[in-house]
């Protein structure tokens, strides 16, 4: 008879103890591993961004393909040719920026690189603070050259693209 209340007490205490242990243990977070190609193209993208900010035409010439063009969401039917794109970029006052949320898709000697480009510009700046970029890099003589850039400012109103459900997605993700 004495064993029954003791056994009952132990059975009732066990779930409470294990619950306390579960809540005390911090949730484990997984940190995605950056792939080798993401590391390579993060370096190339940052090198190009830095070259523009430092007005280093040697690096800009080295990284952009001869037939480079910039295409924007604002004027999808009017590509901006290489010389015009460089001249326009160099007219802007220097600003800090950050490449985030990069993905790289490999197709032999062509790489499709997408990322969120966050610009550290004043709210009054005509430049968007966040731009979604899709870059097409091609291998030329053993080196990577940026052939085409597609750019679109991210919509502050969170408008949707057909075929995408944004519910439950944290659009401010930093990876």
């Amino acid at each position: 008879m004495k064993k029954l209340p003791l056994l009952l007490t132990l059975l009732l205490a066990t779930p409470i103890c294990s619950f306390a242990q579960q809540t005390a243990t911090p949730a484990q977070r997984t940190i995605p591993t950056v792939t080798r190609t993401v590391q390579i193209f993060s370096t190339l993208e940052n090198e190009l961004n830095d070259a523009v900010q430092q007005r280093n035409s040697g690096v800009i010439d080295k990284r952009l393909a001869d037939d480079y063009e910039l295409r924007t969401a604002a004027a999808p039917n009017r590509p901006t040719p290489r010389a015009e794109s460089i001249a326009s970029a160099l007219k802007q006052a220097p600003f800090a920026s950050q490449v985030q949320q990069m993905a790289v898709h490999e197709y032999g000697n062509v790489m499709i690189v997408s990322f969120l480009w966050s610009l550290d510009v004043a709210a009054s700046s005509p430049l968007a603070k966040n731009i979604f970029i899709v870059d097409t890099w091609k291998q030329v003589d053993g080196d990577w050259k940026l052939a085409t850039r597609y750019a679109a400012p991210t919509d502050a109103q969170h408008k949707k693209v057909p075929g995408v459900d944004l519910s439950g997605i944290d659009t401010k993700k930093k990876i």
Side-chain angles (χ1 to χ4, degrees):
M1 259 339 224
K2 287 185 177 183
K3 290 184 182 182
L4 186 59
L6 180 61
L7 182 60
L8 188 57
T9 303
L10 285 173
L11 287 175
L12 290 174
T14 301
I16 294 170
C17 291
S18 69
F19 177 74
Q21 287 175 340
Q22 288 175 355
T23 57
T25 306
Q28 288 196 350
R29 302 183 78 185
T30 57
I31 299 172
T33 304
V34 176
T35 65
R36 184 172 181 268
T37 53
V38 167
Q39 288 176 337
I40 290 167
F41 286 93
S42 289
T43 300
L44 291 172
E45 295 285 359
N46 284 315
E47 179 183 283
L48 182 57
N49 291 340
D50 291 345
V52 171
Q53 297 309 309
Q54 297 164 3
R55 311 310 198 239
N56 186 336
S57 59
V59 173
I60 296 169
D61 285 338
K62 178 182 176 185
R63 287 292 158 229
L64 296 183
D66 293 339
D67 58 349
Y68 169 81
E69 67 180 25
L70 170 64
R71 293 182 163 267
T72 64
N77 64 334
R78 186 189 171 280
T80 306
R82 184 182 200 272
E84 186 181 331
S85 179
I86 292 170
S88 178
L90 294 177
K91 284 181 189 175
Q92 297 291 323
F95 54 84
S97 67
Q98 188 176 29
V99 172
Q100 304 173 49
Q101 303 179 36
M102 182 178 281
V104 179
H105 299 273
E106 186 173 351
Y107 302 101
N109 63 348
V110 173
M111 298 287 197
I112 307 298
V113 178
S114 63
F115 57 92
L116 178 65
W117 188 26
S118 296
L119 311 182
D120 187 12
V121 294
S124 60
S125 172
L127 299 176
K129 289 187 89 50
N130 293 297
I131 303 169
F132 180 66
I133 301 287
V134 177
D135 280 348
T136 305
W137 290 82
K138 63 181 179 179
Q139 204 162 33
V140 178
D141 298 328
D143 202 5
W144 290 104
K145 304 268 187 185
L146 180 55
T148 309
R149 170 167 283 182
Y150 300 88
T154 59
D155 191 349
Q157 297 174 17
H158 301 290
K159 299 289 182 179
K160 295 181 180 179
V161 172
V164 176
D165 179 11
L166 296 177
S167 62
I169 295 176
D170 180 10
T171 57
K172 296 187 183 196
K173 188 171 126 180
K174 293 280 186 179
I175 303 218

